[in-house]
Amino acid sequence: MHNDVTATGHAARIATVDALLPAPLPFEVGGDSVLLSAEVGDTTAAGLSTCTGLGPDSPRSMWRALVEHRLEVQLAGPDPAAGLDALLTRWDEHLRSLAQVGDTECAAVLSRPSRDTAGATELLRHGFAPVGVLAVRPAQRMAAGPDTTPGVCIRHATPDDLSTAVTLQLELQRYDAQFGRITLRPGVEELITKELLHHLERPEPQVWIAELYGRPLGMVVLQMPDETGWIRHRVAASRVGYLSSLAVSEAARSSGVGTALAAHAHQVFDEAGADVVLLHHAVANPRSTPFWYAQGYRPLWTGWQRRPAVRSR
């Protein structure tokens, strides 16, 4: 009953924060998940702690620690920051029974609605840092088509573009690895090659190459609305596009290639009837953060991380 009251109060509070946030789902406790709760005066907090692990040869291992402890959070009452603080203290105690101190391949992760800023100070005090953002761009179907950029031609990628695509993706991964969202592992080139080849061998790959005066210097990879079931629950929209990555060679930065690729991607999504487009970017990336918001995106969810999950006291 206590957690039901928290869930109801949390849903009512979140509904006032951001119109594009989906209605929170009830916690599903099962397997190794653990339900945590805390109370501070009239404020209540509930959290579902789960753990997942990957092998270093998994394509997803580039995007996270090999062991990831996650906490889903629900906060209700007049002081959500105090509720989150108490809940994080409970979670810290729980993690110390599971994780090894100082293990850098073990991370504690939670996502918070970006506009729900209550508790940000408490997260920092518990050693978390904002690492990534899930950003959203509503469709702009009344807009005209994208402007042309002199010297830029955008075309479908083919299997013959594999080497170019791998080079561009590797350059992007190495740059983004500085900001905490990506872990460069042995064999990363092989993982990227396998994933891109899977895309390029499709009948109509949603991989696009940008040529600048005939030189292939940029690439964008898209997931169309029928492929985004894995992330659709993160936004209040029916048809969701996902922009997997946009890479521009350092030699072509500030040339308009990135802007042309983004505009082309948005046209493709609009033609497919997407209500919104989502993408991930690193908070600290000094290039992608201003770039994406200039293209009409805004933060929807902020991912907070502490790595290692348990630190020495």
Side-chain angles (χ1 to χ4, degrees):
M1 180 66 70
H2 180 278
N3 290 323
D4 291 342
V5 171
T6 302
T8 301
H10 176 74
R13 193 174 65 82
I14 288 301
T16 69
V17 170
D18 188 334
L20 284 178
L21 288 173
L25 298 174
F27 288 155
E28 294 186 8
V29 182
D32 295 329
S33 61
V34 175
L35 188 63
L36 305 173
S37 61
E39 189 171 342
V40 182
D42 294 332
T43 297
T44 59
L48 186 68
S49 177
T50 58
C51 179
T52 58
L54 295 174
D57 57 345
S58 168
R60 290 176 57 208
S61 69
M62 293 184 292
W63 304 100
R64 47 164 284 179
L66 296 182
V67 177
E68 201 169 74
H69 295 274
R70 284 192 166 270
L71 186 69
E72 295 181 54
V73 174
Q74 294 181 347
L75 305 169
D79 194 352
L84 180 59
D85 186 32
L87 185 64
L88 291 173
T89 298
R90 291 290 310 276
W91 194 34
D92 285 344
E93 296 167 354
H94 176 64
L95 292 180
R96 285 189 174 276
S97 69
L98 300 176
Q100 182 178 349
V101 174
D103 182 359
T104 59
E105 280 295 358
C106 182
V109 178
L110 69 158
S111 292
R112 301 283 296 126
S114 298
R115 292 184 173 180
D116 186 17
T117 57
T121 300
E122 286 68 24
L123 282 162
L124 292 169
R125 191 161 56 237
H126 282 264
F128 287 85
V131 175
V133 162
L134 179 63
V136 62
R137 179 186 186 272
Q140 299 177 3
R141 297 201 181 96
M142 297 304 291
D147 295 331
T148 58
T149 303
V152 176
C153 173
I154 298 175
R155 59 173 176 79
H156 259 124
T158 72
D160 291 340
D161 293 304
L162 179 61
S163 177
T164 295
V166 169
T167 298
L168 287 167
Q169 191 68 26
L170 271 174
E171 184 178 338
L172 176 64
Q173 297 286 91
R174 288 170 178 146
Y175 184 77
D176 277 352
Q178 302 173 91
F179 310 115
R181 283 198 66 243
I182 290 175
T183 302
L184 287 179
R185 303 189 182 281
V188 63
E189 184 171 354
E190 182 180 348
L191 290 173
I192 289 173
T193 300
K194 183 177 180 181
E195 186 173 1
L196 284 170
L197 188 59
H198 170 74
H199 285 291
L200 293 174
E201 288 180 336
R202 298 171 64 179
E204 287 192 16
Q206 289 302 327
V207 182
W208 304 82
I209 295 289
E211 294 182 346
L212 181 62
Y213 296 108
R215 294 179 61 198
L217 295 174
M219 173 184 70
V220 67
V221 182
L222 313 180
Q223 290 184 26
M224 306 311 289
D226 61 350
E227 303 174 291
T228 57
W230 65 278
I231 201 168
R232 193 177 302 132
H233 66 286
R234 304 295 282 173
V235 63
S238 298
R239 291 184 59 78
V240 178
Y242 182 74
L243 200 155
S244 298
S245 67
L246 187 152
V248 176
S249 171
E250 185 173 2
R253 286 176 186 163
S254 301
S255 67
V257 168
T259 299
L261 278 168
H264 180 81
H266 297 148
Q267 183 180 26
V268 171
F269 283 128
D270 283 351
E271 291 173 356
D275 298 315
V276 300
V277 180
L278 300 176
L279 60 81
H280 284 93
H281 72 85
V283 172
N285 189 323
R287 296 183 183 275
S288 64
T289 300
F291 174 81
W292 287 119
Y293 297 155
Q295 312 307 314
Y297 290 83
R298 66 167 177 84
L300 184 65
W301 294 89
T302 299
W304 294 76
Q305 178 177 262
R306 187 174 66 203
R307 184 173 176 180
V310 177
R311 298 176 179 178
S312 59
R313 293 178 176 175

